[in-house]
Amino acid sequence: MLSVALVGGLHSDARAAAVERLLATVPGSVALHHDLTAAAERGTVVRTVRDTTGVLSTGETPLVNDCACCALREDLVPELERLADAGLTRLAVVELWDSVEPKAMAEVVAAAGLTVTSVITAVDPALLLPYLGNGDDLMDAGLAAAATDRRTVADTWARQLEYAPVLAVLDSPEADDEDRALLAQLHPTARQVPVGEGENGDLAAAALAGFDVEAAAAAQHPACALLPQEADAHGVGTYVWHRRRPFHPERLYAALEDLTCAAARSRGRFWLADRPDTLLAWDAAGGALCVEPAGPWLASLPDAAWEMVPPVRRAAAALDWDPEHGDRCQHLVFTSPGLDREGLAELLDSCLLTDAEFAAGREAWKRLPPAFDALLEV
């Protein structure tokens, strides 16, 4: 049976090193790569299939709706099916182009009935903070996958990093203890595998270890994400802020810029007083913040609706259940070098409802000024 391992990440040198390591250590492996570099000018995406001996085949596929990523999806599955039918390939290493996110590709491959055995993000630790702090649009950086691509370098890199259960870490002489501490705190549950000269076959074992697409998606959902825990090492800190009182919408909105710039990376879920039934997702990197609805708090649903909620979502809510508010809460995590925990706590706490506002009750909360309407496009 053909195994499929996805190797992605914006750090192209680290990604190339990881792919070469897999080709060299897994007998019967081939690498597939779709080059999106000049797709808009050419109108096509270039595909290359190779093994340790060199290039086996090349081809081009036209853009789909002016979208290079869509063309990749249309072409990738047939190529993988061709390799599976031939029965000569043990591992297909899909080297994703720079800004392609592994979550979408893993779900496409799995939906086709193919076996994804690993998702690996390649990392050069010395580049971790510069990329995480890069708020440039992918379009301006020449990394957009479509004309409508509005992602930034920072938020794309953060998702690539946090989705993968395996990190192929390049042995970079420029990396220091701060870089390595930041990597460990951003994704503490990841298996880190070194990639460099003389390394053993750990990456090969990781590429064939197995991967659960549904579990990986659940681990990224704001309602049940496996967020980092408190940590402090080599000048890098992770601060977990958890409260059981809703935000005042105007005070929080006024503090957004300061909160967004307070850490290299912050994410989590939060609760606005004027939207007591809506779980809101917080996702910030590179000085930019994305806030969006992520469904209802389970406490707002009738009992009959709970059967329609995925078990992992119900389990996450049960672990954080409050007798009065249910799963409604503030759970935000900030990770950065030079983190000011006390300043963050003071600012965040100042955005909560006061005792008097809280005592006024939910009907009064709903009449508070809807400061987030424009941000949430209501």
Side-chain angles (χ1 to χ4, degrees), residues 77-94:
V77 168
E79 279 299 303
L80 291 173
E81 290 175 337
R82 182 183 63 78
L83 290 172
D85 291 342
L88 301 175
T89 303
R90 179 187 180 196
L91 176 67
V93 181
V94 179

Side-chain angles (χ1 to χ4, degrees), residues 282-296:
W282 177 289
D283 194 295
L289 170 67
C290 176
V291 169
E292 59 186 2

Side-chain angles (χ1 to χ4, degrees), residues 137-155:
D137 290 339
L138 291 177
M139 187 67 69
D140 295 336
L143 296 169
T148 56
D149 197 338
R150 295 294 179 263
R151 295 173 296 157
T152 68
V153 172
D155 65 44

Side-chain angles (χ1 to χ4, degrees), residues 206-289:
L208 296 164
F211 182 77
D212 187 327
V213 172
E214 290 186 5
Q220 297 305 306
H221 191 282
C224 44
L226 299 175
L227 297 174
Q229 301 296 307
E230 286 273 351
D232 195 352
H234 301 290
V236 178
T238 294
Y239 174 57
V240 179
W241 185 76
H242 192 278
R243 298 290 188 270
R244 286 292 182 182
R245 182 172 291 198
F247 279 124
H248 186 287
E250 282 188 315
R251 290 200 293 274
L252 178 62
Y253 191 84
L256 287 182
E257 183 175 354
D258 288 341
L259 290 170
T260 300
C261 297
R265 175 70 170 140
S266 58
R267 56 191 179 119
R269 54 188 178 270
F270 68 101
W271 173 26
L272 285 177
D274 64 323
R275 299 169 180 270
D277 296 336
T278 303
L279 187 157
L280 293 165
W282 177 289
D283 194 295
L289 170 67

Side-chain angles (χ1 to χ4, degrees), residues 52-293:
T52 53
T53 66
V55 175
L56 301 176
S57 68
T58 61
E60 294 190 28
T61 186
L63 297 186
V64 177
N65 299 322
D66 292 325
C67 172
C69 256
C70 300
L72 190 162
R73 292 189 186 99
E74 292 287 327
D75 191 68
L76 177 60
V77 168
E79 279 299 303
L80 291 173
E81 290 175 337
R82 182 183 63 78
L83 290 172
D85 291 342
L88 301 175
T89 303
R90 179 187 180 196
L91 176 67
V93 181
V94 179
E95 181 188 354
L96 300 176
W97 188 72
D98 293 8
S99 68
V100 175
E101 296 191 27
K103 181 177 183 292
M105 292 301 108
E107 291 172 354
V108 165
V109 173
L114 294 158
T115 303
V116 179
T117 54
S118 188
V119 173
I120 300 166
T121 293
V123 183
D124 180 341
L127 298 178
L128 178 57
L129 187 58
Y131 275 63
L132 200 59
N134 188 340
D136 291 347
D137 290 339
L138 291 177
M139 187 67 69
D140 295 336
L143 296 169
T148 56
D149 197 338
R150 295 294 179 263
R151 295 173 296 157
T152 68
V153 172
D155 65 44
T156 301
W157 170 236
R159 283 190 297 271
Q160 289 176 334
L161 180 73
E162 293 159 357
Y163 178 76
V166 178
L167 302 179
V169 183
L170 190 66
D171 183 14
S172 173
E174 289 80 22
D176 58 19
D177 289 340
E178 179 183 285
D179 297 323
R180 286 182 278 270
L182 179 60
L183 181 60
Q185 290 183 35
L186 286 170
H187 196 349
T189 62
R191 176 182 177 184
Q192 292 192 28
V193 181
V195 177
E197 291 300 322
E199 299 295 349
N200 58 28
D202 285 350
L203 190 61
L208 296 164
F211 182 77
D212 187 327
V213 172
E214 290 186 5
Q220 297 305 306
H221 191 282
C224 44
L226 299 175
L227 297 174
Q229 301 296 307
E230 286 273 351
D232 195 352
H234 301 290
V236 178
T238 294
Y239 174 57
V240 179
W241 185 76
H242 192 278
R243 298 290 188 270
R244 286 292 182 182
R245 182 172 291 198
F247 279 124
H248 186 287
E250 282 188 315
R251 290 200 293 274
L252 178 62
Y253 191 84
L256 287 182
E257 183 175 354
D258 288 341
L259 290 170
T260 300
C261 297
R265 175 70 170 140
S266 58
R267 56 191 179 119
R269 54 188 178 270
F270 68 101
W271 173 26
L272 285 177
D274 64 323
R275 299 169 180 270
D277 296 336
T278 303
L279 187 157
L280 293 165
W282 177 289
D283 194 295
L289 170 67
C290 176
V291 169
E292 59 186 2

